[in-house]
Amino acid sequence: MAAYRYCEAVTGLQARNFSYGIRLLPEPKRLAMSALYALARRVDDIGDGDLPDDRKAEALLRTRELLDEIRAGSVAEDDTDPIKVALADTARRFPIDLGGFDELIDGVEMDLKGAEYQTYEELKVYCRCVAGAIGRLSLGVYGCDDPERGARYADTLGLALQLTNILRDLREDALNGRTYLPMEDLVRFGCQEGFARPRPPVGADFAGLVSFEAARAQAAFEEGLRLLPMLDRRSRACTAAMAGIYHRLLGRIAADPESVLRGRVSLPGWEKAYVALSGLAGGRS
């Protein structure tokens, strides 16, 4: 239980949007989701950290080895890594596909290689790795009436969330030398110079670009939210809360595209709590 409490602490401290949803789950599922998040957070932190790329690659390899230990059932209860202990217990209790974490690592390795995406189809592969995989892992904890269709909807909902993240972090990513939007779209809207400045390039249709990508994200939300009726009430509320927070964030960005160049767009805590409670009541705010 101490290992799970550590994972809960990581989640409460670092998962500003995720934690609002998982609070709605019964304790066994809440603890399991905290373990999933804690390892996902570790992988993300490796990718976003200050280590040289070769050290990051080593750390990601060690994480793959950790997953192999869990698959082999060789993690001791007194292991000194609480995330490993909690996730090993979660894997015993729930039918999660740990391969989702391998996909997440694949996505972070794309970042390390400086991958750029020429087309939307290429970007969707990345989004499947870093977001869709987490949704499919979560289904193992939630349970689902139709696992095959549910996995497809989880992928699509993950795409919606990741597209929203990409729009929100447009300038921050640019300052870190990363561009995620497809080059074909940047060229189409005259934005191929990037987003390192607080104002769009002269002559660029930045608002058109954001509206175009936001419409894609909206369509993905509408399809991905078909997952909700396949889940039990508490799991449905958890998913609706997390998706609802990002959906509202997308609406803010679409209404004021240049806001993403001025700073990080976010929702106040009271609004996130409202969305979470709406999800518990059966809404899709």
Side-chain angles (χ1 to χ4, degrees), residues 39-49 53 56-57 59-60 64 101-115 117 126 129-130 178 180:
L39 186 62
R41 179 77 261 170
R42 176 181 289 179
V43 173
D44 284 343
D45 285 346
I46 292 170
D48 293 336
D53 286 353
K56 290 182 179 181
L60 293 174
R64 291 192 192 274
F101 282 114
D102 288 298
E103 289 184 67
L104 175 60
I105 294 170
D106 290 342
V108 172
E109 288 178 339
M110 292 180 200
D111 284 336
L112 294 187
K113 295 172 183 175
Y117 307 98
Y126 172 77
C129 288
V130 299
R178 294 178 182 172
Y180 292 97

Side-chain angles (χ1 to χ4, degrees), residues 90-106:
T90 293
R92 286 192 291 269
R93 293 173 183 269
F94 295 93
I96 60 173
D97 180 1
L98 291 172
F101 282 114
D102 288 298
E103 289 184 67
L104 175 60
I105 294 170
D106 290 342

Side-chain angles (χ1 to χ4, degrees), residues 1-274:
M1 186 59 73
Y4 278 119
R5 296 307 178 203
Y6 175 85
C7 293
E8 281 197 305
V10 171
T11 303
L13 183 64
Q14 300 190 46
R16 288 166 292 188
N17 294 326
F18 188 82
S19 62
Y20 281 90
I22 66 171
R23 292 173 189 172
L24 305 176
L25 294 170
E27 185 178 55
K29 291 185 178 182
R30 188 178 73 247
L31 294 177
M33 290 296 291
S34 294
L36 294 182
Y37 175 83
L39 186 62
R41 179 77 261 170
R42 176 181 289 179
V43 173
D44 284 343
D45 285 346
I46 292 170
D48 293 336
D50 296 326
L51 291 174
D53 286 353
D54 59 339
R55 297 279 302 281
K56 290 182 179 181
E58 291 172 5
L60 293 174
L61 178 59
R62 288 196 296 272
T63 306
R64 291 192 192 274
E65 292 169 349
L66 177 155
L67 293 169
D68 289 339
E69 286 185 59
I70 294 174
R71 291 186 184 100
S74 60
V75 178
E77 290 186 7
D78 60 353
D79 192 284
T80 56
D81 182 346
I83 295 176
K84 185 197 299 186
V85 172
L87 188 59
D89 186 71
T90 293
R92 286 192 291 269
R93 293 173 183 269
F94 295 93
I96 60 173
D97 180 1
L98 291 172
F101 282 114
D102 288 298
E103 289 184 67
L104 175 60
I105 294 170
D106 290 342
V108 172
E109 288 178 339
M110 292 180 200
D111 284 336
L112 294 187
K113 295 172 183 175
E116 294 185 353
Y117 307 98
Q118 298 300 314
T119 67
Y120 182 52
E121 291 303 312
E122 290 179 4
L123 177 62
K124 285 167 69 175
V125 173
Y126 172 77
C127 292
R128 174 183 170 85
C129 288
V130 299
I134 302 302
R136 283 178 273 114
L137 282 163
S138 300
L139 283 186
V141 174
Y142 296 155
C144 181
D145 291 343
D146 186 338
E148 185 174 341
R149 274 204 308 149
R152 291 200 303 271
Y153 289 143
D155 261 340
T156 306
L157 190 55
L159 173 63
L161 301 180
Q162 192 61 27
L163 287 174
T164 303
N165 267 337
I166 288 170
L167 290 173
R168 181 194 64 188
D169 297 339
L170 212 57
R171 185 153 189 262
E172 181 181 333
D173 288 334
L175 293 173
N176 289 323
R178 294 178 182 172
T179 300
Y180 292 97
L181 292 182
M183 182 56 66
E184 63 182 7
D185 298 345
L186 300 181
V187 171
R188 176 181 176 184
F189 291 96
C191 294
Q192 60 268 38
E193 290 183 21
F195 311 103
R197 300 174 183 174
R199 300 283 298 174
V202 175
D205 184 8
F206 181 74
L209 173 68
V210 173
S211 295
F212 181 73
E213 304 298 352
R216 276 179 166 164
Q218 175 63 28
F221 270 117
E222 290 173 3
E223 181 178 349
L225 286 170
R226 295 178 185 175
L227 172 66
L228 295 182
M230 300 179 183
L231 307 177
D232 64 62
R233 178 174 176 266
R234 298 281 285 275
S235 300
R236 183 166 63 246
C238 173
T239 304
M242 290 187 286
I245 288 170
Y246 276 90
H247 193 233
R248 285 191 171 220
L249 189 61
L250 179 67
R252 294 276 205 284
I253 293 169
D256 182 10
E258 289 191 25
S259 63
V260 298
L261 299 179
R262 297 193 296 268
R264 175 177 281 241
V265 180
S266 63
L267 303 183
W270 68 263
E271 190 170 357
K272 293 178 182 180
Y274 169 78

